[in-house]
Short mmCIF file of all heavy atoms in Angstrom, two decimals:
data_model
loop_
_atom_site.label_atom_id
_atom_site.label_comp_id
_atom_site.label_asym_id
_atom_site.label_seq_id
_atom_site.Cartn_x
_atom_site.Cartn_y
_atom_site.Cartn_z
N PRO A 216 45.11 63.47 -56.93
CA PRO A 216 45.90 64.41 -57.77
C PRO A 216 46.07 63.81 -59.29
O PRO A 216 45.98 62.59 -59.42
CB PRO A 216 47.24 64.42 -57.05
CG PRO A 216 47.38 63.09 -56.45
CD PRO A 216 45.99 62.68 -56.05
N VAL A 217 46.34 64.67 -60.21
CA VAL A 217 46.61 64.26 -61.55
C VAL A 217 47.97 64.87 -62.00
O VAL A 217 48.14 66.06 -61.74
CB VAL A 217 45.50 64.74 -62.47
CG1 VAL A 217 45.89 64.53 -63.99
CG2 VAL A 217 44.18 64.03 -62.17
N VAL A 218 48.76 64.02 -62.54
CA VAL A 218 50.10 64.54 -63.09
C VAL A 218 50.10 64.30 -64.57
O VAL A 218 49.89 63.17 -65.03
CB VAL A 218 51.30 63.87 -62.37
CG1 VAL A 218 52.58 64.28 -62.93
CG2 VAL A 218 51.29 64.15 -60.89
N LEU A 219 50.35 65.37 -65.36
CA LEU A 219 50.33 65.25 -66.80
C LEU A 219 51.71 65.58 -67.41
O LEU A 219 52.49 66.38 -66.79
CB LEU A 219 49.32 66.26 -67.41
CG LEU A 219 47.88 66.11 -66.83
CD1 LEU A 219 47.04 67.29 -67.26
CD2 LEU A 219 47.21 64.78 -67.34
N ALA A 220 51.99 65.11 -68.59
CA ALA A 220 53.22 65.45 -69.40
C ALA A 220 54.40 65.37 -68.52
O ALA A 220 55.25 66.28 -68.39
CB ALA A 220 53.03 66.97 -69.97
N ASN A 221 54.61 64.13 -68.04
CA ASN A 221 55.78 63.80 -67.18
C ASN A 221 56.10 64.83 -66.02
O ASN A 221 57.20 65.22 -65.79
CB ASN A 221 57.05 63.80 -68.02
CG ASN A 221 56.97 62.58 -69.05
OD1 ASN A 221 56.44 61.58 -68.66
ND2 ASN A 221 57.43 62.81 -70.22
N GLY A 222 55.01 65.32 -65.42
CA GLY A 222 55.12 66.18 -64.26
C GLY A 222 55.20 67.68 -64.60
O GLY A 222 55.32 68.48 -63.73
N GLN A 223 55.04 67.99 -65.90
CA GLN A 223 55.05 69.35 -66.34
C GLN A 223 53.81 70.11 -65.90
O GLN A 223 53.82 71.32 -65.64
CB GLN A 223 55.24 69.56 -67.81
CG GLN A 223 56.59 69.07 -68.29
CD GLN A 223 56.72 68.99 -69.80
OE1 GLN A 223 56.01 69.79 -70.51
NE2 GLN A 223 57.52 68.15 -70.32
N ILE A 224 52.65 69.40 -65.72
CA ILE A 224 51.39 69.98 -65.22
C ILE A 224 50.88 69.14 -64.11
O ILE A 224 50.83 67.88 -64.28
CB ILE A 224 50.38 70.15 -66.37
CG1 ILE A 224 50.97 70.88 -67.60
CG2 ILE A 224 49.09 70.68 -65.95
CD1 ILE A 224 50.15 70.74 -68.88
N ARG A 225 50.44 69.75 -63.02
CA ARG A 225 49.94 68.97 -61.86
C ARG A 225 48.64 69.55 -61.37
O ARG A 225 48.55 70.83 -61.34
CB ARG A 225 50.92 68.94 -60.72
CG ARG A 225 52.27 68.29 -61.07
CD ARG A 225 53.22 68.21 -59.79
NE ARG A 225 53.49 69.54 -59.27
CZ ARG A 225 54.31 70.37 -59.75
NH1 ARG A 225 55.02 70.12 -60.82
NH2 ARG A 225 54.51 71.56 -59.13
N ALA A 226 47.68 68.75 -61.01
CA ALA A 226 46.44 69.24 -60.35
C ALA A 226 46.32 68.49 -59.05
O ALA A 226 46.36 67.29 -59.04
CB ALA A 226 45.24 69.08 -61.25
N SER A 227 46.20 69.21 -57.95
CA SER A 227 46.10 68.53 -56.67
C SER A 227 45.25 69.36 -55.68
O SER A 227 45.00 70.51 -55.89
CB SER A 227 47.53 68.35 -56.07
OG SER A 227 48.19 69.59 -55.97
N GLN A 228 44.93 68.68 -54.57
CA GLN A 228 44.18 69.47 -53.55
C GLN A 228 45.26 69.93 -52.48
O GLN A 228 46.18 69.21 -52.13
CB GLN A 228 43.21 68.48 -52.79
CG GLN A 228 42.34 69.32 -51.92
CD GLN A 228 41.13 68.51 -51.47
OE1 GLN A 228 40.72 67.63 -52.21
NE2 GLN A 228 40.54 68.94 -50.40
N HIS A 229 45.11 71.22 -52.14
CA HIS A 229 45.99 71.77 -51.08
C HIS A 229 45.12 72.47 -50.11
O HIS A 229 44.57 73.62 -50.40
CB HIS A 229 46.95 72.74 -51.82
CG HIS A 229 48.02 73.33 -50.90
ND1 HIS A 229 48.51 72.58 -49.82
CD2 HIS A 229 48.66 74.53 -50.87
CE1 HIS A 229 49.44 73.33 -49.28
NE2 HIS A 229 49.53 74.49 -49.77
N GLY A 230 44.97 71.79 -48.92
CA GLY A 230 43.97 72.30 -47.96
C GLY A 230 42.59 72.24 -48.67
O GLY A 230 42.20 71.29 -49.22
N SER A 231 41.86 73.33 -48.59
CA SER A 231 40.56 73.32 -49.25
C SER A 231 40.49 73.87 -50.62
O SER A 231 39.51 73.96 -51.30
CB SER A 231 39.49 74.08 -48.37
OG SER A 231 40.00 75.45 -48.07
N ASP A 232 41.69 74.27 -51.11
CA ASP A 232 41.85 74.70 -52.50
C ASP A 232 42.23 73.55 -53.45
O ASP A 232 42.84 72.58 -52.98
CB ASP A 232 43.00 75.68 -52.68
CG ASP A 232 42.72 77.05 -51.93
OD1 ASP A 232 41.62 77.25 -51.55
OD2 ASP A 232 43.73 77.80 -51.81
N VAL A 233 41.68 73.64 -54.74
CA VAL A 233 42.32 72.79 -55.74
C VAL A 233 43.30 73.63 -56.57
O VAL A 233 42.97 74.83 -56.94
CB VAL A 233 41.19 72.21 -56.62
CG1 VAL A 233 41.77 71.39 -57.81
CG2 VAL A 233 40.29 71.31 -55.82
N VAL A 234 44.48 73.13 -56.73
CA VAL A 234 45.55 73.97 -57.32
C VAL A 234 46.03 73.20 -58.61
O VAL A 234 46.28 72.02 -58.65
CB VAL A 234 46.73 74.01 -56.37
CG1 VAL A 234 47.85 74.82 -56.98
CG2 VAL A 234 46.31 74.72 -55.11
N ILE A 235 46.14 74.06 -59.69
CA ILE A 235 46.77 73.54 -60.94
C ILE A 235 48.03 74.34 -61.08
O ILE A 235 48.10 75.57 -60.99
CB ILE A 235 45.84 73.91 -62.11
CG1 ILE A 235 44.62 73.05 -62.12
CG2 ILE A 235 46.61 73.62 -63.47
CD1 ILE A 235 43.56 73.42 -63.09
#
Side-chain angles (χ1 to χ4, degrees):
V217 172
V218 176
L219 306 167
N221 295 324
Q223 291 172 30
I224 303 166
R225 300 182 303 281
S227 58
Q228 190 164 336
H229 186 32
S231 52
D232 292 349
V233 175
V234 178
I235 293 171

